[in-house]
Structures are given as structure tokens and as C-alpha cells.
């Protein structure tokens, strides 16, 4: 998928990684970038078209897809994270919130825009996932459940959309320097590095990319015995 001359929709585009996806899409020659956010007035990047979108509202997503018939690249970036273990007192409510955004949000957007991409020659989805798709830790256990589900969803979408020529790229990455990771005393990647890797993989026609060394090591270790599925507290 070539970014140059593409019409791009970025979800969660008002800050952090989403804003950087929008900025780099413009820099790489995209003809138009729709920057989606629950409150489009919070989108401050010049050159984009702010649009209102709550990815958890399937009807609203469908209405937006009907309006944006020129899109040929969708970046499913919107996501939330709660620092919860799966057995924490309020883990049920927290996990449901994350599943609604991190999994059903991707499903809502993908289901609504897949026909749009088909009409425009196939196009692509880029789904922002995580090293937590493959590994868990006590503080991120509930989040990891949602990202593992999002990985499975992404693989399912790739199979079902292959016939219409739609590329589906899973972007897995460790800790990124955004609002989601505030308070975590761990090494973090800059948003520019992550987006650059994602767009490079997209233009290479890849199905999956592990951006950083941690994520690459975890992926290699999935077949290890004993399995590398957990991080220490």
C-alpha cells in the first residue's frame, strides 16, 4: 500500500500516536487525511480534515463510512489502557471498557469501511496492536487480554478481506511515549519511530511488523519451552 496519493482515515488522531500517523501521512504525500476523534475540536494538526468518531458506536461508524467514500487506508489507532490485573476488584468493568474500544472498535470500523476499501481498489487497514498481544504482566494483564483479542481479530480480518485485495497490517510494539504510558518507569519509543516503522511495513506489503527489540524478542520466544508469556512484576 503506497501512502502517496492515498486518502487516509486515522482513528484516535487528536494526540499521541494517532496525531503522528496523521502528520506523517501528510508528509508522505497522502492526498487527504481524515483525523477522527470523539471531539474533533481537539484535533490541532494543520492540513487534516477533523471528523467526529466514537469507535464504540457502530451506527455512528457506519454513518461516517457512508460519508467518507474516498478512503483507501484506515489506521485503527484508537485505544485505551487501564493498569489492571485480571483479578482486581473492578477488573470486569475495566476489561469491558477496553474490549469495547480495543476490539469492538476495530471491528466496527473495519466492518463499516471494508466495502469502501473494496470499491476503491482494496486499500489497507493498519491495526495498532502491542507486545501485550503476546505477553502479559500483572499491571497490564487486563489490557493484554484486549490486545490478544485484537490480534486474533486482525488475523481474521486479513483472511476474510484477502479476496477483495485489502492488505491488513498488524503493528506490534512495546511501550510508546504517550499519555497511555505516563507513570510507567520503563524505556519508551518515540511516536515518530513507531509510525515510520508502521508506514514502511505497509508500503512493503507486509502482514505484521514488530517494531522494537523487546517485541521482536517476545515474538521469537513464543515457541520457547517454557513459554515466554509473562513478564515479571
Amino acid at each position: 500500500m503506497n501512502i502517496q496519493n492515498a486518502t487516509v482515515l486515522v482513528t484516535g488522531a487528536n494526540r499521541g500516536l494517532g496525531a503522528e500517523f496523521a502528520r506523517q501521512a501528510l508528509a508522505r504525500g497522502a492526498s487527504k487525511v481524515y483525523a477522527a476523534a470523539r471531539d474533533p475540536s481537539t484535533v490541532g494538526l494543520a492540513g487534516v480534515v477533523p471528523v467526529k468518531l466514537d469507535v464504540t458506536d457502530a451506527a455512528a461508524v457506519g454513518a461516517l463510512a457512508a460519508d467518507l467514500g474516498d478512503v483507501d487506508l484506515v489506521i485503527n489507532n484508537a485505544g485505551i489502557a487501564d493498569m489492571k490485573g485480571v483479578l482486581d476488584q473492578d477488573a470486569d468493568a475495566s476489561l469491558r471498557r477496553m474490549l469495547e474500544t480495543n476490539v469492538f472498535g476495530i471491528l466496527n470500523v473495519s466492518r463499516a469501511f471494508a466495502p469502501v476499501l473494496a470499491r476503491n481498489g482494496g486499500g489497507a487497514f493498519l491495526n495498532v496492536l502491542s507486545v501485550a498481544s503476546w505477553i502479559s504482566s500483572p499491571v497490564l494483564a487486563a489490557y493484554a487480554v484486549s490486545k490478544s483479542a485484537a490480534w486474533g481479530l486482525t488475523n481474521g480480518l486479513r483472511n476474510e478481506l484477502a479476496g477483495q485485495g485489502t492488505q491488513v497490517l498488524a503493528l506490534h510494539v512495546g511501550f510508546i511515549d504517550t499519555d497511555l504510558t505516563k507513570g510507567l518507569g520503563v524505556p519508551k519509543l518515540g511516536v515518530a519511530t513507531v509510525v515510520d516503522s508502521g508506514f514502511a511495513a505497509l508500503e512493503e506489503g507486509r502482514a505484521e511488523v514488530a517494531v522494537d527489540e523487546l517485541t521482536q524478542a517476545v515474538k521469537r520466544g513464543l515457541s520457547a519451552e517454557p513459554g515466554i508469556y509473562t513478564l515479571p512484576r
Side-chain angles (χ1 to χ4, degrees):
M1 174 76 197
N2 196 334
I3 310 302
Q4 189 171 14
N5 298 321
T7 299
V8 184
L9 170 67
V10 184
T11 69
N14 57 322
R15 61 181 181 175
L17 194 63
E20 182 64 15
F21 267 115
R23 189 194 69 79
Q24 284 202 31
L26 289 174
R28 287 171 178 260
S31 62
K32 185 185 295 183
V33 177
Y34 296 109
R38 291 191 180 198
D39 179 0
S41 70
T42 61
V43 176
L45 180 64
V48 301
V49 180
V51 294
K52 181 178 177 60
L53 180 63
D54 177 354
V55 298
T56 68
D57 185 340
V61 176
L64 185 65
D67 289 339
L68 306 186
D70 54 348
V71 170
D72 50 16
L73 170 59
V74 175
I75 299 172
N76 280 310
N77 166 74
I80 60 173
D82 288 342
M83 305 303 167
K84 299 286 183 183
V86 293
L87 297 180
D88 287 356
Q89 190 66 36
D90 58 347
D92 290 22
S94 177
L95 179 55
R96 286 190 176 94
R97 285 194 302 272
M98 287 187 283
L99 288 171
E100 282 295 328
T101 298
N102 299 349
V103 181
F104 289 102
I106 292 176
L107 179 59
N108 291 337
V109 172
S110 301
R111 178 184 286 137
F113 278 90
V116 177
L117 299 190
R119 290 193 296 270
N120 293 330
F125 288 105
L126 189 162
N127 292 350
V128 177
L129 304 180
S130 173
V131 67
S133 305
W134 299 323
I135 199 166
S136 187
S137 69
V139 71
L140 289 172
Y143 175 72
V145 171
S146 75
K147 285 300 185 178
S148 293
W151 180 43
L153 172 61
T154 300
N155 293 333
L157 290 170
R158 187 180 302 114
N159 289 335
E160 293 188 30
L161 296 177
Q164 69 176 42
T166 297
Q167 179 185 358
V168 178
L169 172 65
L171 186 153
H172 297 269
V173 64
F175 298 102
I176 309 170
D177 190 13
T178 67
D179 289 347
L180 287 180
T181 62
K182 278 185 178 178
L184 293 180
V186 295
K188 301 171 187 177
L189 293 172
V191 291
T193 298
V194 177
V195 172
D196 185 66
S197 295
F199 277 147
L202 193 72
E203 293 186 330
E204 291 167 6
R206 296 174 61 182
E208 192 164 77
V209 57
V211 173
D212 55 305
E213 292 182 5
L214 169 64
T215 306
Q216 293 162 13
V218 169
K219 185 178 181 181
R220 288 193 300 270
L222 289 176
S223 60
E225 290 293 345
I228 181 170
Y229 306 126
T230 58
L231 287 171
R233 185 182 298 272

